[in-house]
Amino acid sequence: MIRSELVQKIAEDNPHLFQRDVERIVNTIFDEIINAMSRGDRVELRGFGAFSVKKRDARTGRNPRTGEAVQVEEKHVPFFKTGKLLRDRLNGK
């Protein structure tokens, strides 16, 4: 599902809301998650999962084409850990 499909589904399930308002709500939620993660905060949505940021240290990698050693800089990457309810639903429990 992509963002526009999510907006459409929420708008269909809530006919009292205008689609532009639903779009603004969805965008605000995603923006707040992004802002919190950029500050290094953890975002937890009970039953769904938790978003956090992990730090990857600098390392020496290899260019797969040439085999040459390449320095890979330190970086921060998003990490998602599923919640129990989501895990149970995916596993048919």
Side-chain angles (χ1 to χ4, degrees), residues 29-42:
I29 291 170
F30 287 143
D31 289 343
E32 286 303 312
I33 291 172
I34 291 167
N35 290 336
M37 289 179 67
S38 68
R39 291 189 307 267
D41 296 340
R42 182 174 183 263

Side-chain angles (χ1 to χ4, degrees), residues 67-83:
E68 176 185 348
V70 178
Q71 284 302 113
V72 179
E73 295 179 4
E74 170 187 287
K75 60 183 163 185
H76 294 85
V77 294
F79 179 75
F80 178 74
K81 181 177 180 184
T82 58

Side-chain angles (χ1 to χ4, degrees), residues 61-70:
R62 296 233 174 257
N63 180 333
R65 188 171 292 170
T66 64
E68 176 185 348
V70 178

Side-chain angles (χ1 to χ4, degrees), residues 21-72:
D21 294 334
V22 172
E23 190 170 343
R24 192 174 316 139
I25 291 166
V26 169
N27 288 336
T28 301
I29 291 170
F30 287 143
D31 289 343
E32 286 303 312
I33 291 172
I34 291 167
N35 290 336
M37 289 179 67
S38 68
R39 291 189 307 267
D41 296 340
R42 182 174 183 263
V43 178
E44 182 177 335
L45 303 172
R46 293 283 165 110
F48 182 70
F51 298 92
S52 60
V53 178
K54 297 239 180 196
K55 178 183 159 205
R56 290 196 181 156
D57 293 328
R59 62 184 173 83
T60 302
R62 296 233 174 257
N63 180 333
R65 188 171 292 170
T66 64
E68 176 185 348
V70 178
Q71 284 302 113
V72 179

